[in-house]
Amino acid sequence: AGKGGPKHFLHIDDFDKKAVLQMLERAAEVKAVLKSGNRNYQPLQGMSMAMIFTKPSMRTRVSFETGFYKLGGHAIYLGPDDIQLGKREETRDIARVLSGYNDVIMARLFAHKDLLDLAHYAKVPVINGLTDYNHPCQIMADALTIIEHIGHIEGIKVVYMGDGNNVVHSWLRLASVLPIHFVCACPRGFEPDTATVERARNAGVSRIEISHNPLEAVRGANVVYADVWASMGQKEEAAIRAQRFKGFQVDEAMMEAAGPQAYFMHCLPAERGVEVTDAVIEAPNSIVFQQAENRMHAQNAILLHVLGL
Ligand code: CP
Ligand code: NVA
């Protein structure tokens, strides 16, 4: 859509530091309004959002749908069998048709290219609800959660443990904008995309490390972060990955190696007993459910931002 077109939310570093911090502040403000029980704040009144899903979801669907509703608007869920993106109809046609009915489009897709195409042809803002490449709404919610618990995000050490996947790419893109110390500890062969790592390093904002030594990497972490070892679309690789990821499970010994200041985070859904133990996810310093709730609040702020409200 280019200059003068709609403002999309596709990658965190499409926005500068000021805009990212503004969205996080707005998220906290709107969260406080909703938490107070006040239902009179209805900035999305009369608006609608189309939500395209080609993958399963609990958090993304429910947080977007209820968030949009709580702020006065109406959200429409389109599951894998409804639109059949690229099969029943071409992405460029879908983009323009949905733009005629809706004020905003949210999409959760496999190929990132499909999201970029959708945004290119849409006449309204497009929000990225996860692709194989990244998951920016998740990391905005994570940043909000970190600010709530630690007081700030700048300067903290985040150690991500596991597969160098879409969640890691969004951490790296956040690190291109906000100064953090980000470590991705992963087995050899499961590193994040090289270009994305270079992009984060070249931004010169954050300290970025890739490590193959989990117990050394976690030392002094403010946050130890896990995600599934086999993402959506990779589930047939689960058994082989479980072999390759031995030593990368976040267990009590690993949290102890991190230190008493460390919080545990996970974007969920979690496979308990695989990438994280039951004890770690249930421990008092685990903030996974706060993260999940904050998906809604972060996204409300993202929606208001791209809609210019
Ligand atoms: N974290 C997250 O995006 O969850 P869902 O896959 O349930 O939406
Ligand atoms: N990396 C995971 C995140 C799920 C929210 C996946 O893509 O399946």
Side-chain angles (χ1 to χ4, degrees):
K3 263 201 159 70
K7 197 187 287 183
H8 303 300
F9 185 81
L10 307 178
H11 320 91
I12 294 174
D13 58 349
D14 295 342
F15 299 85
D16 62 13
K17 179 177 177 178
K18 187 168 161 234
V20 169
L21 290 175
Q22 266 172 2
M23 282 186 266
L24 292 171
E25 275 165 35
R26 191 79 185 279
E29 283 164 23
V30 176
K31 178 176 181 175
V33 172
L34 292 177
K35 286 283 188 187
S36 76
N38 179 349
R39 291 287 178 270
N40 297 322
Y41 182 57
Q42 304 272 290
L44 302 180
Q45 199 163 26
M47 292 193 172
S48 67
M49 169 170 66
M51 308 194 295
I52 307 172
F53 285 86
T54 61
K55 287 174 171 170
S57 170
M58 175 166 70
R59 278 145 292 272
T60 304
R61 182 198 172 164
V62 179
S63 59
F64 265 108
E65 188 163 333
T66 56
F68 208 81
Y69 170 73
K70 283 177 204 277
L71 299 186
H74 175 70
I76 300 138
Y77 171 74
L78 298 155
D81 291 333
D82 294 318
I83 286 192
Q84 299 174 41
L85 187 128
K87 289 199 277 285
R88 184 169 185 268
E89 200 158 1
E90 286 190 32
T91 308
R92 54 190 170 158
D93 293 348
I94 296 165
R96 284 168 288 180
V97 171
L98 289 178
S99 297
Y101 306 132
N102 297 285
D103 301 279
V104 55
I105 299 169
M106 192 282 293
R108 160 167 289 195
L109 308 176
F110 285 93
H112 194 64
K113 171 76 166 58
D114 288 341
L115 182 83
L116 299 179
D117 286 347
L118 192 65
H120 183 77
Y121 288 101
K123 306 273 184 268
V124 299
V126 171
I127 296 178
N128 180 352
L130 178 148
T131 66
D132 286 347
Y133 173 67
N134 68 347
H135 196 5
C137 290
Q138 178 67 53
I139 278 52
M140 289 294 281
D142 298 340
L144 175 63
T145 312
I146 288 168
I147 292 167
E148 287 174 348
H149 287 83
I150 302 180
H152 58 94
I153 178 143
E154 298 185 35
I156 68 152
K157 179 177 180 182
V158 177
V159 181
Y160 174 96
M161 197 56 68
D163 182 28
N165 63 14
N166 45 7
V167 164
V168 176
H169 296 152
S170 283
W171 269 111
L172 288 166
R173 288 201 174 223
L174 178 85
S176 300
V177 181
L178 297 183
I180 59 173
H181 178 187
F182 181 74
V183 187
C184 174
C186 56
R188 281 181 207 283
F190 294 90
E191 292 87 358
D193 171 55
T194 310
T196 306
V197 174
E198 285 312 305
R199 180 190 177 93
R201 286 199 172 125
N202 292 339
V205 172
S206 292
R207 183 171 162 202
I208 308 292
E209 288 180 276
I210 308 297
S211 165
H212 301 299
N213 187 340
L215 286 175
E216 189 189 282
V218 286
R219 224 179 288 142
N222 299 100
V223 169
V224 180
Y225 197 112
D227 184 10
V228 288
W229 291 342
S231 285
M232 291 180 272
Q234 303 173 329
K235 296 300 179 192
E236 73 289 347
E237 294 174 25
I240 179 82
R241 282 173 176 257
Q243 297 279 325
R244 302 290 303 276
F245 284 76
K246 277 213 173 81
F248 289 84
Q249 183 190 61
V250 182
D251 58 11
E252 284 166 297
M254 193 177 284
M255 290 306 291
E256 200 161 311
Q261 76 294 332
Y263 286 100
F264 175 71
M265 298 181 78
H266 192 307
C267 54
L268 303 179
E271 289 196 55
R272 290 170 187 242
V274 181
E275 75 274 5
V276 58
T277 61
D278 219 50
V280 166
I281 211 164
E282 294 295 346
N285 61 342
S286 162
I287 51 176
V288 300
F289 300 112
Q290 290 90 330
Q291 271 178 275
E293 182 187 330
N294 278 337
R295 286 293 302 280
M296 181 173 77
H297 304 300
Q299 290 156 195
N300 284 348
I302 291 165
L303 280 163
L304 294 172
H305 189 82
V306 296
L307 289 166
L309 297 168

